[in-house]
């Protein structure tokens, strides 16, 4: 057997077009007669619209049409929420273009369609609109207080959702140690580098929508349901998509309106957002207030964990808005054993941009809270943060392990990952340096942060998602086609936007069918060519979609085996398949899979009743999630005079099971860590009390550059997943989930001598300095 | 409307433009050179970086009229007859891109950096690329790629 | 986002520039455009006319004029920081310029543009103040010299009269015995300074003879820390207590803003800490 493709650091097929500018971003698309849409957006967070007059805009040069929300009121429907999490959930009507009320600053209130983007932007000035301001509701505790202004008539509470297992009262009753903390997950702006863009075209009764989305398939279903365009008359294409991180897992107002405008005008239209428009109107992430309580023995052995969460929904429930905190609900027990767990979450409406999935979606929040609280427990008990974890984590011989949060972790080895990380980090040496700096009262203190995380990903099991009331399944589909010349075409339902599926799926196929890596092509992101799929989010592509590819290959191979046996005049069982050929055991006779493909194409001599094609599809729906884990260690230097934090070293040892392409895996970890660090130190979407977004541009919302981040040291341990035939686990979100608590734990660790036990995120220099001034926070 | 002459990736264009037309929109919408994308409106992200008369500039913050008489090189003009520029090769080899949206600007900025500093240290690379944001890679592999690209550029002047 | 329409005049000579600026009171000067274009794109500015002075050779470059350098207004940041004359005679200008934005912006953005824009969070205004630059302004009526201390009037407001153009600055060579340092304290590399300190120190035998300090983003205009300067002469550089005492008044006479990144009391604290450090670095 030649070297397997799986496990090789194959350079990516996608790169050829991306490094030469031969890309197809949605904004690149030019079609004859293309018109450009610009949206007028509410400058107020909360107001009644008392008058809109677009007539003056219509007479501006180059303007073809202008519309208000009223113009679409009869047909625009409501933007969908696919996750009605509870019986009491309130899903308010969410018109794509506001008709009578705006509920967040940036909500679209009117639009202009013109012959070019400059003229469209100009004509927005000519729209007349009057508002009757209503009070803004910007923070959750006030929103829930009696007498708060209402975001929606039904009240500011969107839902409550609870989960309990074990006897939590017993766990806390007489517990020798109880640690109770409140953490704030600040609101984040996902900031994919490609701003959103939509091109909608129609030839009369059918429609094609190019859009910068992660979810062409889900979007097609939702758009059909929302707009009444029959599903079979609607083609959705995600061309090159410049990052998503959850922000393009959405059915957006601009997608719906693009379709409606194209339908109304019978002409193709394009909308491309500006970054400042996007900061206001791409769904935001996080924004939770977490109250977490740990009960433990005097030795720090956990008895139970109690979590009470407020989750800011923003003004509306979008595609999976209320489901995000639920994705975290099962992760507050982390990698630890305990008897009881109790979780409650209240979703709250505010007059801000809705929140929804952002890299990790619920799980970074959960991991942050438990990993921060475990450090606090270590401090209470007086042991090293790693020691408190050792006393509580699931040992490798205990897998599969049913957690107090009701999940069964299939595999893991926390000891191995931690040991490796400590060695790479030089843990003991850094602790010694820290002690030395403390002794010397060095103005620059050293802090060491630990994060031993796990997460649930590979968002699938349809039955589990159904039990949580998610509106769709989680399966994934692949079709594999043997072409007459022996090349292979893979049609995948995953929808990559930077992950490298073309490369990784080629590696899987190359091994499964014994064909050269170069001979595999991958089609994706177009509902016409790849009609079945559930798309890409939740670190699901490989663990669900990749397995579907593998299974489809197996089916192709079995069909080919029948033909090969016929051609070689033997029984199928006499054949072994190696190096891409069916070989008759014990003889030299063989047929390559390419020869079989050509024979099937010719169809001159096939087994009786054999349909002349080798294509096969497979739809995979796993039994369980995947549970990657790892240990991240971060050392920071904190300048106690200025409050400035500098990351000195960062080590990540992740266990994502077997890997298909270690280079791609490492890249995912790097990027994930960077985004997690960004939450810890830099980024925050800030609204003022009137509901104005103060971080509306990249000059205010601080996305770190290369100069702001260190080089990360990464390594892996390999504990194969038992839940899928490749033994793989998801990796897309792991770095982000792990890194935020590692960094903040390090910052707080540095400041322990000053009595500091928390610094709210992002740990800006000012916040660090104030924490030092104030002592116990 | 002012009439401008601009050479883009070796081809000379004469066009009448509105004074307010941004160079990046001139490239994308007028000339169809869509390899250079737009990522922000405040000169922060660097996705639109091109070389103008040999120096990196953010084409979203240059008016087309300011480029009159100038020579613009975009990511689409780097490959020499199908032969990739060493920096393009280095980005591919080192996996310095994921979604690829920042990549045109990042490659151009990296070439500009190495033009001025043929053997940059890691710190010099990180600081030299401070005006180009990437959301996917965490920059580790970009730094590696620039070192490798610099090495290749030194070897193949 | 997209700028609103404006007329455009490319000045082929200084007199053409003066004429165009005089003819339209809503005209704005375009040099590198690195501050102006983002404002236009966000539609925070609506000039009727842009007068492009970017191609006037007489405004560009660094000249040695004896006891000072003349830095032309349209000299780019990149040219300034790479200028051997600037590096030799006015290294504080080079240091501060290296912290302005990023390399691509420094290729377009200009020395004069940064001063005339008069953003108190910009790095060069404080340097102009610390070095007592003389700013040279021109108009159809002739030229005049405005000392830096009189140039910055308010937030984004200078002593330039309507129709007047900044031609450049005379930057004194402070001569031997002086050390310089510019500190920019900011949260990410691209961000504006929360506080910046431009320090120049003359010292002999480990003792400060004279010091100058100007602060970035500690008010609506850059601020000269006169009180701290007054306490510096005679302080031994290795006497941290004395240096700290001298710089404890660095925030006197400031009126620091409150924004997303810092509230005034923290900015005042930073001004004190960073001034002490900048002086030590300048003297090092």
């Amino acid at each position: 057997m030649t070297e397997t493709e799986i496990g090789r650091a194959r350079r990516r097929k996608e790169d050829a077009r991306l490094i030469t500018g031969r890309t197809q971003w949605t904004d690149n698309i030019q079609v004859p007669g293309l018109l450009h849409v610009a949206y007028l957006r509410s400058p107020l967070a909360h107001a009644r619209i008392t008058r809109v007059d677009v007539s003056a805009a219509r007479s501006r040069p180059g303007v073809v049409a202008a519309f208000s929300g009223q113009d679409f009121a009869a047909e625009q429907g409501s933007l969908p929420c696919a996750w009605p999490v509870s019986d009491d959930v309130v899903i308010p009507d969410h018109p794509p273009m506001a008709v009578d009320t705006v509920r967040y600053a940036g909500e679209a209130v009117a639009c202009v369609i013109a012959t070019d983007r400059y003229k469209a932007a100009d004509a927005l000035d000519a729209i007349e609109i009057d508002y009757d301001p209503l009070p803004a509701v910007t923070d959750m505790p006030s929103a829930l207080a009696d007498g708060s202004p209402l975001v929606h008539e039904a009240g500011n509470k969107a839902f409550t959702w609870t989960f309990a297992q074990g006897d939590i009262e017993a766990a806390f009753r007489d517990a020798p140690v109880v640690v109770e903390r409140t953490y704030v997950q600040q609101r984040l702006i996902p900031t994919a580098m490609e701003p959103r863009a939509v091109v909608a075209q129609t030839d009369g009764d059918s429609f094609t929508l190019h859009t910068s989305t992660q979810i062409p398939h889900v979007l097609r279903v939702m758009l059909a349901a929302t707009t009444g365009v029959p599903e079979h008359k609607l083609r959705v294409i995600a061309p090159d998509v410049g990052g998503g991180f959850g922000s393009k897992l959405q059915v957006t107002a601009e997608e719906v309106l693009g379709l409606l405008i194209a339908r109304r005008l019978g002409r193709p239209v394009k909308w491309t957002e500006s970054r400042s428009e996007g900061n206001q109107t791409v769904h935001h992430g996080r924004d939770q207030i977490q109250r977490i309580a740990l009960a433990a023995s005097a030795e720090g052995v956990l008895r139970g964990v109690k979590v009470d969460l407020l989750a800011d929904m923003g003004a509306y429930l979008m595609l999976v808005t209320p489901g995000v905190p639920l994705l975290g609900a099962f992760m507050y027990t982390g990698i630890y054993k305990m008897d009881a767990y109790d979780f409650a979450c209240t979703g709250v409406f505010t007059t801000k941009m809705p929140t929804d999935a952002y890299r990790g979606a619920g799980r970074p929040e959960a991991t942050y809270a438990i990993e921060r609280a475990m450090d606090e427990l270590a401090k209470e008990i007086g042991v090293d943060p790693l020691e408190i974890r050792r006393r509580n984590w699931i040992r490798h011989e205990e897998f599969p392990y049913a957690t107090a949060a009701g999940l069964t972790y299939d595999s893991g080895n926390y000891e191995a990952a931690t040991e490796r990380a400590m060695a790479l980090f030089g843990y003991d040496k850094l602790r010694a340096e820290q002690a030395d700096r403390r002794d010397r009262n060095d103005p620059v203190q050293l802090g060491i942060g630990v994060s031993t995380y796990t997460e649930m990903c590979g968002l699938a099991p349809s039955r589990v998602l159904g039990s949580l009331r998610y509106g769709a399944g989680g399966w994934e589909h692949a079709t594999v086609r043997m072409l007459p010349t022996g090349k292979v075409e893979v049609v995948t339902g995953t929808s990559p936007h930077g992950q490298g599926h073309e490369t990784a799926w080629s590696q899987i196929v190359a091994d499964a069918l014994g064909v050269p890596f170069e001979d595999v092509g991958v089609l994706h992101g177009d509902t016409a060519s790849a009609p079945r799929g559930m798309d890409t989010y939740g670190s699901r592509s490989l663990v669900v979609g990749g397995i579907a590819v593998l299974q489809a290959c197996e089916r192709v191979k079995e069909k080919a085996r029948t033909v090969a046996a016929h051609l070689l005049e033997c029984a199928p069982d006499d054949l072994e398949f190696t190096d891409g050929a069916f070989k008759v055991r014990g003889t030299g006779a063989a047929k390559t899979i390419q020869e079989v493909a050509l024979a099937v194409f010719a169809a001159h001599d096939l087994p009786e009743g054999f349909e002349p094609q080798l294509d096969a599809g497979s739809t995979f729906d796993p039994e369980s999630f995947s549970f990657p884990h790892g240990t991240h260690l971060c050392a920071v230097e904190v300048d106690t005079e200025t409050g400035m934090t500098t990351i000195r070293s960062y080590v990540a040892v992740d266990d994502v099971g077997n890997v298909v392409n270690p280079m791609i895996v490492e890249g995912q970890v790097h990027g994930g860590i960077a985004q997690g660090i960004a939450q810890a130190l830099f980024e925050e979407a800030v609204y003022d009390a009137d509901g104005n977004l103060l971080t509306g541009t990249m000059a205010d919302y601080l996305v770190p550059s290369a100069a702001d981040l260190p080089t990360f040291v990464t390594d892996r341990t390999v504990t194969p997943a038992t839940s899928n035939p490749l033994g793989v686990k998801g990796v897309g979100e792991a770095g982000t989930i792990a890194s935020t608590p590692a960094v903040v734990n390090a910052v707080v660790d540095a400041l322990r001598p000053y009595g500091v036990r928390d610094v709210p995120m992002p740990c800006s220099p000012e916040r660090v300095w104030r924490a030092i001034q104030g002592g116990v926070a | 409307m002012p009439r401008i002459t601009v050479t883009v990736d070796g081809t000379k264009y004469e066009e009448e433009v509105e004074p307010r037309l941004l160079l990046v929109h001139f490239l994308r919408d007028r000339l169809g050179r869509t390899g250079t994308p737009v990522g922000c409106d405040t000169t922060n992200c660097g996705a639109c970086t091109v070389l103008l008369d040999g120096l990196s500039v953010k084409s979203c913050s240059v008016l087309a009229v300011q480029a009159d008489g100038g020579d613009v090189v975009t990511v689409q003009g780097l490959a020499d007859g199908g032969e990739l520029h060493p920096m393009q090769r280095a980005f591919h080899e080192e996996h310095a891109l994921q979604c690829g949206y920042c990549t045109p600007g990042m490659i151009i900025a990296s070439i500009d950096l190495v033009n001025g500093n043929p053997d940059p240290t890691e710190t010099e690379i990180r600081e030299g690329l401070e005006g180009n944001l990437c959301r996917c890679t965490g920059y580790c592999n970009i730094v590696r790629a620039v070192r490798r690209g610099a090495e290749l550029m030194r070897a193949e002047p | 986002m997209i700028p609103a329409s404006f007329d455009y005049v490319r000045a082929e000579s200084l007199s053409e520039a003066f004429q165009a600026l005089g003819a339209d009171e809503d005209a704005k000067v375009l040099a590198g455009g690195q501050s102006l274009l983002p404002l236009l794109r966000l539609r925070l500015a609506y000039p009727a006319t842009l007068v492009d002075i970017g191609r006037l050779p007489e405004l560009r470059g660094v000249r040695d004029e004896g006891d000072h350098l003349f830095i032309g207004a349209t000299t780019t940041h990149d040219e300034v920081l790479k200028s051997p004359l600037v590096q030799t005679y006015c290294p504080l200008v080079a240091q501060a310029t290296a912290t302005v934005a990023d390399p691509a912006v420094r290729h377009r953005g200009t020395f004069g543009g940064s001063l005339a824009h008069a953003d108190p969070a910009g790095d060069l205004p404080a340097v102009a103040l610390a070095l007592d630059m003389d700013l040279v302004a021109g108009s159809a009526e002739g030229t005049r010299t405005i000392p830096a201390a009189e140039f910055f009037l308010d937030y984004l407001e200078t002593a330039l009269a309507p129709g007047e153009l900044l031609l450049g600055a005379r930057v004194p060579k402070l001569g031997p015995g002086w050390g310089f340092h510019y500190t920019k304290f900011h949260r990410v590399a691209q961000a504006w300074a929360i506080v910046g300190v431009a320090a120049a120190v003359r010292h002999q035998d480990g003792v400060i003879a004279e010091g100058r300090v100007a602060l970035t983003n500690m008010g609506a205009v850059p601020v000269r820390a006169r009180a701290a300067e007054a306490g510096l002469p005679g302080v031994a550089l290795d006497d941290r207590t004395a240096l700290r005492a001298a710089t404890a008044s660095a925030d006197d006479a400031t009126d620091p803003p409150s924004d997303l990144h810092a509230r005034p009391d923290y900015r005042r604290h930073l001004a004190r800490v960073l001034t002490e450090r900048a002086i030590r670095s300048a003297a090092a």
Side-chain angles (χ1 to χ4, degrees), chain A residues 182-460:
Chain A
T182 298
Y183 298 119
V184 176
Q185 293 284 327
Q186 80 270 36
R187 182 174 274 251
L188 300 176
I189 302 177
T191 319
M193 288 311 298
E194 184 204 12
R196 292 175 300 157
V198 176
V199 174
Q201 303 174 62
T202 178
D203 64 5
D205 73 337
S206 61
F207 295 82
T208 301
L209 192 78
H210 286 81
T211 177
S212 181
T213 184
Q214 298 173 224
I215 53 161
H217 299 92
V218 172
L219 182 62
R220 183 193 193 202
V221 175
M222 292 295 175
L223 285 175
T226 307
T227 64
V229 172
E231 192 179 346
H232 65 292
K233 298 286 191 187
L234 176 59
R235 175 182 178 189
V236 176
I237 301 172
D240 283 331
V241 174
F245 315 110
S247 73
K248 294 172 182 172
L249 163 53
Q250 193 54 270
V251 178
T252 66
E254 294 82 2
E255 287 163 331
V256 172
L257 292 168
L259 210 54
L260 299 184
I261 294 166
R263 180 161 73 183
R264 184 75 65 91
L265 300 179
R267 296 175 65 173
V269 296
K270 179 196 281 186
W271 169 75
T272 303
E273 83 183 350
S274 68
R275 178 64 60 185
S276 47
E277 198 177 17
N279 273 22
Q280 280 195 313
T281 63
V282 173
H283 72 240
H284 293 170
R286 315 283 191 259
D287 206 345
Q288 300 178 356
I289 300 172
Q290 310 168 291
R291 216 169 71 224
I292 182 167
L294 314 183
S297 73
E299 292 73 42
V301 176
L302 285 172
R303 298 164 56 149
V305 169
K306 216 164 28 176
V307 175
D308 196 352
L309 204 66
L310 294 181
D312 194 333
M313 305 285 100
Y316 300 98
L317 302 187
M318 295 192 74
L319 192 62
V320 299
T321 301
V324 169
L326 271 60
L327 289 172
F330 307 98
M331 299 316 300
Y332 281 88
T333 58
I335 63 170
Y336 310 115
K337 297 182 282 190
M338 63 196 74
D339 301 324
Y341 172 59
D342 190 88
F343 175 89
C345 172
T346 303
V348 184
F349 289 117
T350 58
T351 54
K352 294 185 284 186
M353 181 66 210
T355 56
D356 206 311
Y358 170 54
R359 202 168 192 172
R363 291 150 289 156
E365 296 93 314
T367 303
Y368 181 84
I370 184 65
E371 288 303 292
R372 290 280 298 108
M374 289 301 279
D375 265 33
E376 296 298 306
L377 179 61
K379 168 75 180 159
E380 290 285 319
I381 304 294
V383 298
D384 187 276
L386 277 174
E387 176 56 25
I388 203 76
R389 287 164 171 83
R390 277 190 207 101
R391 289 181 189 180
N392 285 287
W393 68 33
I394 302 157
R395 294 192 310 275
H396 70 275
E397 67 271 18
E398 294 176 298
F399 289 94
Y401 184 87
T403 73
L407 293 171
T408 299
Y409 295 169
D410 65 318
S411 64
N413 190 333
Y414 309 139
E415 302 96 313
T418 302
E419 195 177 317
R420 181 75 188 128
M422 287 178 73
L424 288 169
F425 190 66
Y427 190 84
D428 297 335
K429 211 171 147 194
L430 282 166
R431 281 283 180 215
E433 182 186 332
Q434 176 182 51
D436 178 55
R437 289 198 194 213
R438 284 180 179 176
D439 288 348
R440 286 190 287 113
N441 272 327
D442 192 328
V444 179
Q445 287 287 314
L446 185 69
I448 293 168
V450 173
S451 169
T452 51
Y453 78 100
T454 187
E455 61 129 341
M456 56 179 249
C457 67
L459 294 188

Side-chain angles (χ1 to χ4, degrees), chain A residues 715-732:
Chain A
D715 200 357
R716 287 184 291 108
T717 54
V718 179
T719 311
T722 62
S723 52
N724 66 66
L726 287 177
V728 293
K729 308 174 187 177
V731 69

Side-chain angles (χ1 to χ4, degrees), chain B residues 1 4 22 32 45-47 50 90 103 112-113 139 145 153:
Chain B
M1 276 200 286
I4 61 169
L22 303 173
C45 85
V50 300
T103 306
D112 179 76
L113 169 71
Y139 303 103
M153 282 169 71

Side-chain angles (χ1 to χ4, degrees), chain C residues 237-276:
Chain C
L237 285 164
D238 58 3
D239 184 349
R240 282 201 64 174
T241 311
L243 188 54
R244 188 158 289 193
T247 53
S249 56
D251 62 312
D252 280 15
T254 64
D255 182 16
S258 187
D259 59 27
L260 283 174
H261 309 303
R263 278 175 278 163
D265 61 328
Y266 175 59
R267 277 201 161 90
R268 288 178 180 278
H269 166 78
L270 281 179
R272 296 189 290 266
V273 170
L274 297 174
T275 295
E276 183 205 333

Side-chain angles (χ1 to χ4, degrees), chain C residues 94-141:
Chain C
Q95 282 180 24
T97 302
T99 72
V100 173
D102 60 69
V105 169
R106 293 196 293 266
H107 285 145
R108 297 291 302 171
T110 64
F111 176 76
S114 285
L115 295 174
H117 188 52
D119 189 331
D123 302 294
L124 296 182
V127 173
L129 213 55
L131 296 180
D132 285 329
M133 291 186 197
D134 277 330
L135 305 182
V136 182
S139 69
E141 277 77 57

